[in-house]
Amino acid sequence: MKVIVAAAGTAGHINPGLAIANKIKEKERDSEIIFIGTTRGLENDLVPRAGYKLKTIDAYGLSKKLSFNNIKNMYKTYKGLGEAKRLVKEFKPDLVVGTGGYICGAVVMAAHKYKVPVVLHESNAFPGRATKFLAKYSEKVFISFEDARDKIKNAKEIVVTGTPVKIKKREYGINEKSKIIKDLKLSETKPIVLIFGGSQGAQKINEAIVGIIKKNLNKNYQIIWATGPKQYDVVKEKLESDNIYINKIENMKIVPYIYNMEEVMNVSDVIIARSGAMTITEISNLGKASILIPLPNVSQDHQLYNAKVLENIGASKIILNNDLTENNLNNAVEEIILNKQNLLQMGKNAFKISTENVEEKIYNEIKNVLNK
């Protein structure tokens, strides 16, 4: 099988593309797979690191506003379409897979010109503009959440597959779980709240946690908190200005980044995070209660729609970014962890929308497309 994967920009676009590519390679070792991206996104690191060739073209998101910069980007994107056509013509793929980013438009239109079948994968509950526009050119659109279905028009077929994620639910034995918690220097007797804001951290969330620490609000629970590498020293300074030292705070483990995230997520009781599609998928697959603070000002408020997937089934509480304070965050945590029955039910509710064997489902759907 010869496949082009169009994926660019963020890990949320690129990692599903890599997971699909890996499954194809696992099933058909002689497959040839290349990625098409831009020179600006994370694909330039993640794709070669995973062992795949990356071809780059120019592609930009276009604003409706008339400006010199937008006109320049329109020209570059038009030129990128020509580059995409050349790559498709030279490589002669059996299939194009689009997993997101501005790049998909050029590559899918190039595939359409040369009658190459296309499948799209949409991770978010509110589909991106590219997915909605390109759906009519695809054989199938794979979605993570049922909520996305009625927002995609003109698709030949929509299939709920879920999103491929690395973090899976683990059933640890008592000794295994005990070791993970002790390695975090936390207690086994108090609920654990995991807090993270993505690889770069989240300033508004970090400010609220600093407030919780300064007011000593987390008496009923303990925290494992990844500040993000760029914000760790900022947090440290803010605490030290009140004579609070980062390694001496009771009920608290503060780190720049969590490398064993699968273990930590599995032993935590509540997760506080932004609501990117992959985070929502991981929370549901693990069956965890959560408090979600959607990142504002992102395309079409998709993080808010993602968070509502869990809130609507009683699995999560949403706090809007502008409303977030140390007091309402602490109140939300206590409301969940002090009612053990509620905590368990929220986790069960989250697990109801979990998806298994995602890569296998997508591979089977791809084979159905090619065997038509």
Side-chain angles (χ1 to χ4, degrees):
M1 192 191 305
K2 295 185 75 173
V3 180
I4 289 176
V5 180
T10 66
H13 291 146
I14 300 153
N15 284 334
L18 288 171
I20 294 167
N22 290 341
K23 177 54 70 170
I24 292 170
K25 272 287 190 184
E26 176 194 316
K27 292 286 190 177
E28 304 182 31
R29 292 188 180 278
D30 59 346
S31 294
E32 291 181 59
I33 302 173
I34 64 168
F35 279 68
I36 299 181
T38 70
T39 57
R40 308 182 307 279
L42 278 175
E43 62 270 27
N44 292 274
D45 175 32
L46 298 180
V47 171
R49 190 188 292 266
Y52 295 101
K53 285 182 183 175
L54 174 68
K55 305 287 186 179
T56 60
I57 65 173
D58 266 335
Y60 292 83
L62 301 178
S63 167
K64 292 179 181 176
K65 293 179 182 177
L66 192 64
S67 68
F68 174 73
N69 198 50
N70 197 38
I71 292 169
K72 188 169 71 172
N73 287 344
M74 284 174 67
Y75 171 74
K76 287 180 178 178
T77 299
Y78 181 75
K79 186 180 171 189
L81 174 59
E83 293 168 347
K85 286 178 182 175
R86 177 180 58 78
L87 288 170
V88 170
K89 188 178 180 182
E90 287 176 0
F91 188 67
K92 296 182 176 61
D94 301 303
L95 181 78
V96 164
V97 179
T99 59
Y102 303 135
I103 203 75
C104 283
V107 180
V108 169
M109 296 310 295
H112 181 67
K113 175 178 171 58
Y114 292 109
K115 296 182 170 54
V116 176
V118 171
V119 296
L120 301 175
H121 182 276
E122 176 57 61
S123 297
N124 291 299
F126 196 102
R129 291 190 186 96
T131 299
K132 289 192 283 187
F133 174 72
L134 297 170
K136 61 187 172 186
Y137 299 107
S138 67
E139 298 301 311
K140 292 177 189 270
V141 180
F142 307 136
I143 57 175
S144 291
F145 308 111
E146 187 61 45
D147 303 54
R149 185 184 294 274
D150 63 358
K151 300 176 184 71
I152 300 173
K153 312 299 181 187
N154 303 319
K156 291 180 187 174
E157 188 178 355
I158 297 173
V159 184
V160 180
T161 60
T163 289
V165 292
K166 292 177 182 176
I167 290 173
K168 311 287 185 189
K169 186 176 180 64
R170 304 293 181 199
E171 298 294 345
Y172 296 119
I174 294 172
N175 292 337
E176 262 186 304
K177 185 177 179 180
S178 175
K179 183 180 185 307
I180 294 166
I181 294 171
K182 282 179 180 174
D183 285 347
L184 294 171
K185 296 182 169 57
L186 296 176
S187 163
E188 295 176 66
T189 59
K190 278 190 177 179
I192 297 172
V193 177
L194 166 62
I195 303 162
F196 60 92
S199 59
Q200 300 306 310
Q203 186 177 344
K204 187 75 173 177
I205 296 174
N206 287 355
E207 287 170 359
I209 306 305
V210 167
I212 285 174
I213 294 168
K214 288 186 175 183
K215 292 183 179 180
N216 194 25
L217 297 177
N218 64 309
K219 293 173 183 173
N220 294 313
Y221 59 94
Q222 51 195 339
I223 289 171
I224 167 70
W225 172 25
T227 63
K230 291 184 178 178
Q231 294 200 39
Y232 183 78
D233 288 337
V234 175
V235 166
K236 192 176 176 185
E237 274 183 41
K238 283 182 179 177
L239 292 172
E240 286 181 357
S241 69
D242 278 37
N243 294 317
I244 299 169
Y245 297 95
I246 214 161
N247 294 319
K248 296 181 180 178
I249 306 169
E250 194 175 353
N251 297 330
M252 181 80 62
K253 173 77 172 178
I254 305 173
V255 294
Y257 186 82
I258 297 171
Y259 291 94
N260 59 331
M261 185 60 92
E262 183 172 75
E263 289 181 341
V264 175
M265 287 183 86
N266 269 285
V267 301
S268 297
D269 298 288
V270 178
I271 294 169
I272 298 173
R274 294 298 194 192
S275 48
M278 296 185 81
T279 299
I280 298 296
T281 300
E282 288 163 355
I283 288 171
S284 64
N285 287 356
L286 295 170
K288 297 292 179 181
S290 61
I291 298 167
L292 297 169
I293 301 103
L295 181 66
N297 306 319
V298 292
S299 176
Q300 298 173 302
D301 260 345
H302 71 250
Q303 284 215 359
L304 179 58
Y305 282 92
N306 290 345
K308 283 181 176 178
V309 169
L310 288 176
E311 185 187 59
N312 290 343
I313 59 171
S316 182
K317 177 175 175 58
I318 295 173
I319 301 177
L320 297 179
N321 200 69
N322 289 341
D323 298 336
L324 182 65
T325 66
E326 63 265 25
N327 289 321
N328 65 11
L329 183 57
N330 177 68
N331 290 341
V333 172
E334 293 206 325
E335 189 181 314
I336 295 170
I337 59 107
L338 294 180
N339 182 338
K340 199 164 262 188
Q341 190 58 41
N342 182 40
L343 174 65
L344 291 171
Q345 190 58 52
M346 287 179 75
K348 287 178 183 176
N349 291 344
F351 198 63
K352 286 176 186 174
I353 61 162
S354 66
T355 48
E356 294 182 342
N357 304 317
V358 174
E359 294 93 331
E360 192 76 25
K361 286 178 188 172
I362 292 173
Y363 172 77
N364 289 336
E365 294 292 340
I366 284 171
K367 291 299 288 184
N368 288 342
V369 167
L370 296 179
N371 290 334
K372 276 185 180 178

